[in-house]
Amino acid sequence: MDSHLLKTLVTVARLGSFSAAALELGYTQSAVSQQIAALEGELGAPLLHRRPVGPTAAGERMIEHARLLLERMDAARADVRRLSLPERPELLLAVSPLGMDATVARALARVREAEPRVRVGVRVLARRAVAVEVAAGRCAVGVTDGYAAPGGPLALGDLGPVRQVGAGEEPCAVLCPPGHPLHRRAAVDLARLADAGWLDASAVAAPLADLRALTGGAFPATAGYEGQDAAALLTLSAAGHGLAVLPRSLAASAGGGTTALPVRAPRLVHRREVLFAPGLDGPARTFLDALPRGG
């Protein structure tokens, strides 16, 4: 299968439009239609409904495969390019919004101490995007975070040869604004808060979809926050825009009369993991060796 056809299929499905996909990919709309038809002919199955545009059952399955294939092809290209470039001291680190902390910063400092000429670059990305960047070889190492049962691991999907190793975890807490009825509780059971007002901020807080899956509750969102800035989320939650499940240390730092209520049930922790491909050397290996790992 031609990778260009797979990319076209994924783009049309993501945008829900042949014309929008043509504009993004730099093709004519008729060319996009021809590519989808060619792929359907090769596979012997319709992949997209035309009106409205959306994947068929076969299309959904093919799109899952196509995304993984395209990621692995990007990784192969990046791997070969690295071999053809002259050796240079460089470390690109991908981190999720809550992936960076003092231990990561100190590990980066250790890299620069070991090789003063090294250029360190840090990219802050969404949690899953960190894994994609490392799998594609665009960043040597990644540190991502998420919410899981104690001992993890985080559900990051198929990462190919990329390894994921625990880098620490801590209990969770519900950030409660001043004057909230829960303010004086010693701890909370999330299932009993399923009908409270929640702030939908899946890039930083525990995603509401995960809380629904864990408890079977509704967890209605009274407000949404699509950014990745933890400070902004704390400000919104402290002002009463909704409850949020966060790492206990982060929730406790909100101040302003807020309360960090420990989560008693279900068992849930905030977990960080370091992601890397096998066989690293140079600055990336120095970083890994300097980063405390466990969990």
Side-chain angles (χ1 to χ4, degrees), residues 60 117 164 275:
E60 289 180 352
R117 297 185 303 111
Q164 56 184 109
L275 309 177

Side-chain angles (χ1 to χ4, degrees), residues 59 76 134 140 143 175 228 253:
V134 176
V143 180
L175 181 59
Q228 300 185 28
S253 72

Side-chain angles (χ1 to χ4, degrees), residues 176-185 243 261:
C176 183
H180 193 279
L182 298 172
H183 192 68
R184 297 186 180 278
R185 294 279 185 91
L243 303 177
L261 301 173

Side-chain angles (χ1 to χ4, degrees), residues 69-79 81 132 135-138:
L69 288 168
L70 291 171
E71 287 177 8
R72 296 301 295 275
M73 291 176 73
D74 285 344
R77 292 190 190 97
D79 199 26
R81 288 194 192 106
V132 171
R138 290 185 289 267

Side-chain angles (χ1 to χ4, degrees), residues 264-282:
R264 179 171 47 222
R267 298 184 68 201
L268 187 67
V269 296
H270 176 258
R271 178 176 173 87
R272 293 189 311 126
E273 292 184 346
V274 57
L275 309 177
F276 57 94
L280 289 178
D281 55 14

Side-chain angles (χ1 to χ4, degrees), residues 127-138:
R127 291 170 178 140
R128 171 60 184 164
V130 171
V132 171
E133 288 294 288
V134 176
R138 290 185 289 267

